[in-house]
Amino acid sequence: MAGKPIILLVDAQKEESRYIEKILGKKYCVHIEEDCGGAWDFLRKESPELILLNGDMGEGGCIPTLQGWKSDPKYADIPVILLLDSGQGADGARGLRAGAADLIIKPVPDAVVQLRVDKTLELAGLHRRVEHKEEQMDQISLQSVMTIAHAIDAKDRYADGRTIRVALCCCEIARKLGWDEKRVEDLYYVALLHDIGNIAVEDAILNKTSELTEEEYELIKKHTVIGSEMVKDTNFIPGVAEGVRYHHEHYDGRGYDGLAGQDIPKIARIIAVADAYEAMVSNRAYRNKMPPEQVKEELLTGRGSQFDPEIVDALMELLEEGLVIDEKNAEQNFESKERLGEIGKLLRDVFTETVHEIQNELEKDSLTGFLTRNYFEGKINACLMKPNAHGTFFMMDLDNFKYVNDTYGHAAGDTLILEFANVLKENTRENDYVCRMGGDEFAIFFPGMDKDHVIRQRAENIIRLFKLKRSELGYDKCSVSIGVFTKYVGSSEVTCESLYGYADKALYFVKNNGKDDYYLYSHMSFDDRNAHLLEDQMKLPQILSQVTERKFRKGAYLVEYDRFTYIYQFIVRNIERSCQEVQIILLSLETEEGSEPPEKIEDCMMLMETAVTHSLRRGDVTTRLSAAQQIVILMDTNAENGRMVADRIVAKYNSLAGDRRLPVSYDISEIPVGDSEKSGWED
């Protein structure tokens, strides 16, 4: 027991208490009290790391006890998790308002209670470390804050002294507005730290000489969120979190967070004007400083749109009076670079560590540990900016997951999510990016993966392993559907948003064709696609494995163009002996070159493929022939029936596409018996 973190479990139900003690006992020292009075007595003698409190504690329930703990400074910082029955939803809300850190709904799956306790203690530890750092911050002198400002400026080779010049300009504006010196001093501190979040931005982006891409701009924008998280509990500088978070808001509401007018804290509005002014009168990575008259013109142009009119007017008066921000005087307000020494290094280390902690907390989904969507997209976009970037994107959705939640409860849903997360971990590499997009939706980006057989094997492994896991849990109705898109070297540039779009189309196709499967979407020309596949030939054991493991499908076999050629040749050779009639249909979207956007053509082709597979029998074969054509082979069918099938496909397509459809036409022909050599298909 010695050395283990102590957990206090307050629960009158002995059987349940022993069950929880068994789950947590290997990692924690679990002390059990049967009533709240005993819990109070224990707390007077010991300091547990966490309290598990049963919500059903007799008359009055657990809320008064929880409120008592949270109102007592001795116990207020101990995290409390409530154990509630499924019918105690109201108590759960009251408990969270009273200060509970988390809720666990009984019955409690082993994995969930262990994970919830671990995560709560991890967050409590993070908060304690942040509080400790904030205590250190409370002791930092003006000299030290200036050192931090200099450390921020050091990331930008054009920004030496910039932060202090912005702070001095803010002070002059505030005095012109009639602020007292105490408020001016507070504003000075805030302005010194307003760009502290830039510690988390790559130097290459901060120093880029050309225009930022959309993805780079999104990365830059995150510095306000990270910075405000870093300073949110800094009590000795009033308004610092607001100044850091909102100094890029526009007066007309078109800034980072969309705040407008008087809703933007005034301290942030002043920094916004001073920051823009300093940028205009200084050399930047992307341009030289502006002449004075142009600066005034820019300020007036932004008056009422980007900037608060009152603050612009104050700055314009200062400029008319001959405002000068003396860089030499500014430099004298903090230690020279040569004298930064150990204090500068210590402060930079402290804030860099805090950035990493905050980024990790913001980046990760609390249940699975996977990336959240915002950070997932940021990492992919950064990856796609590299030369010759390529890789494969999986969009995944758990089929019938709502049925599991509704039938077995949310605890069962959490368990299933964790099992699926383990499947994904088994099928990803260290440098792959995995995201829980929300609820039952997941995504993976595999950098550098573009081999067709590897992609297929990975998708099939995920489907197969999850089938085993869900069968063991008794949730056979829940499966996984996967949409796949691959960005190849040399193919057109894409963004993370494009990856979502293409993979989502493929996922939509799977969802409409039986689920529990995967589909590969390709935006490359078929010649390029086939050339790529020829470099990646499969071995016989792989082919046999895939053929034997694939389940029967409804409707036609949907195959790739290169496989289709071999199937066609096989059919031609064998109908000579069987004397079957076999029809071949070519379906074509009627488009004029350049008249329709590629996205609309692709959407229509996806619907065409759905119409084909829903209209045919098992044993018929189909493939995409070009960007706007689909080809179908109808086995054992005469010409009359073939036309009926073709008409049925067209009718189904028109129904699915509705007003979005492009016109479609078809041509049909019987495959000639004994004429394989003249058919135009080569071995």
Side-chain angles (χ1 to χ4, degrees), residues 1-253:
M1 294 289 185
K4 291 183 179 180
I6 299 173
I7 292 178
L8 171 59
L9 171 60
V10 188
D11 195 339
Q13 300 179 30
K14 293 183 179 180
E15 184 177 344
E16 183 176 277
S17 297
R18 297 304 177 192
Y19 170 66
I20 293 177
E21 182 182 27
K22 182 179 179 181
I23 295 172
L24 300 176
K26 292 182 180 179
K27 189 172 182 179
Y28 303 102
C29 176
V30 181
H31 179 86
I32 301 172
E33 291 290 343
E34 295 183 5
D35 55 48
C36 294
W40 276 106
D41 291 339
F42 179 79
L43 287 173
R44 293 185 184 100
K45 297 180 293 184
E46 299 286 347
S47 297
E49 299 292 324
L50 179 141
I51 301 173
L52 291 169
L53 177 60
N54 193 323
D56 185 11
M57 296 304 296
E59 187 175 354
C62 67
I63 303 301
T65 299
L66 176 60
Q67 290 171 331
W69 289 337
K70 291 301 173 182
S71 63
D72 191 325
K74 295 179 183 177
Y75 316 121
D77 292 336
I78 302 175
V80 179
I81 298 178
L82 296 183
L83 303 173
L84 301 176
D85 292 322
S86 57
Q88 292 181 289
D91 287 341
R94 289 174 60 207
L96 290 172
R97 285 194 293 269
D102 201 357
L103 310 173
I104 296 179
I105 306 300
K106 298 180 289 185
V108 188
D110 297 12
V112 172
V113 69
Q114 181 78 59
L115 184 67
R116 290 282 174 82
V117 168
D118 291 346
K119 288 292 183 183
T120 300
L121 286 173
E122 182 182 334
L123 287 174
L126 173 62
H127 290 318
R128 281 194 292 271
R129 291 195 299 275
V130 171
E131 288 173 2
H132 177 64
K133 289 184 177 67
E134 297 305 337
E135 290 174 3
Q136 292 178 320
M137 281 290 295
D138 287 343
Q139 302 172 13
I140 293 177
S141 64
L142 172 61
Q143 194 80 23
S144 301
V145 176
M146 287 182 172
T147 302
I148 295 169
H150 185 75
I152 298 166
D153 287 349
K155 289 178 65 66
D156 185 343
R157 66 176 181 269
Y158 288 91
D160 196 14
R162 181 189 70 85
T163 301
I164 294 174
R165 291 193 296 273
V166 170
L168 291 172
C169 184
C170 285
C171 292
E172 295 301 324
I173 292 172
R175 291 189 183 100
K176 176 62 71 172
L177 294 172
W179 286 27
D180 62 55
E181 281 305 309
K182 177 62 173 69
R183 292 181 69 196
V184 171
E185 182 181 357
D186 290 339
L187 173 60
Y188 186 63
Y189 285 125
V190 175
L192 286 175
L193 296 175
H194 78 278
D195 266 344
I196 193 170
N198 276 345
I199 290 175
V201 181
E202 293 182 17
D203 294 2
I205 296 178
L206 286 176
N207 291 296
K208 188 174 180 181
T209 56
S210 57
E211 184 178 356
L212 294 176
T213 66
E214 185 176 340
E215 293 75 24
E216 290 168 336
Y217 181 60
E218 289 300 318
L219 293 174
I220 286 278
K221 285 169 62 176
K222 290 177 182 175
H223 84 277
T224 58
V225 178
I226 292 173
S228 64
E229 285 291 319
M230 292 176 67
V231 301
K232 66 181 180 182
D233 296 322
T234 307
N235 298 321
F236 82 100
I237 307 179
V240 64
E242 290 80 5
V244 171
R245 178 64 187 262
Y246 300 118
H247 69 276
H248 279 290
E249 297 308 297
H250 287 193
Y251 198 71
D252 61 6

Side-chain angles (χ1 to χ4, degrees), residues 306-439:
Q306 184 173 350
F307 308 124
D308 182 335
E310 180 188 18
I311 297 171
V312 170
D313 292 345
L315 179 56
M316 294 298 290
E317 287 184 32
L318 289 168
L319 294 176
E320 291 298 326
E321 295 168 3
L323 172 69
V324 174
I325 303 298
D326 192 334
E327 295 185 26
K328 292 182 180 179
N329 288 339
E331 286 289 331
Q332 291 172 5
N333 280 287
F334 63 94
E335 293 179 285
S336 67
K337 299 173 190 177
E338 291 76 16
R339 296 179 59 199
L340 288 176
E342 293 185 3
I343 185 172
K345 182 179 185 302
L346 171 63
L347 290 170
R348 285 193 294 274
D349 289 346
V350 166
F351 278 98
T352 300
E353 180 186 349
T354 304
V355 165
H356 291 158
E357 290 175 353
I358 291 170
Q359 279 186 307
N360 188 61
E361 185 178 357
L362 294 174
E363 284 182 5
K364 300 298 177 65
D365 170 63
S366 60
L367 183 61
T368 63
F370 293 154
L371 293 170
T372 57
R373 180 164 181 168
N374 284 342
Y375 283 87
F376 178 68
E377 292 176 352
K379 290 181 182 297
I380 292 177
N381 283 326
C383 182
L384 293 174
M385 286 190 289
K386 298 176 182 177
N388 296 319
H390 59 292
T392 294
F393 188 92
F394 278 20
M395 177 84 80
M396 295 162 289
D397 183 62
L398 299 187
D399 310 313
N400 304 318
F401 180 74
K402 186 176 184 298
Y403 168 83
V404 175
N405 270 341
D406 292 347
T407 306
Y408 303 102
H410 289 279
D414 282 352
T415 301
L416 189 61
I417 289 290
L418 287 171
E419 290 295 346
F420 183 66
N422 289 333
V423 168
L424 297 186
K425 289 173 184 176
E426 290 181 38
N427 285 277
T428 48
R429 306 161 299 180
E430 186 176 350
N431 66 327
D432 295 332
Y433 302 122
V434 189
C435 170
R436 185 184 181 194
M437 299 180 65

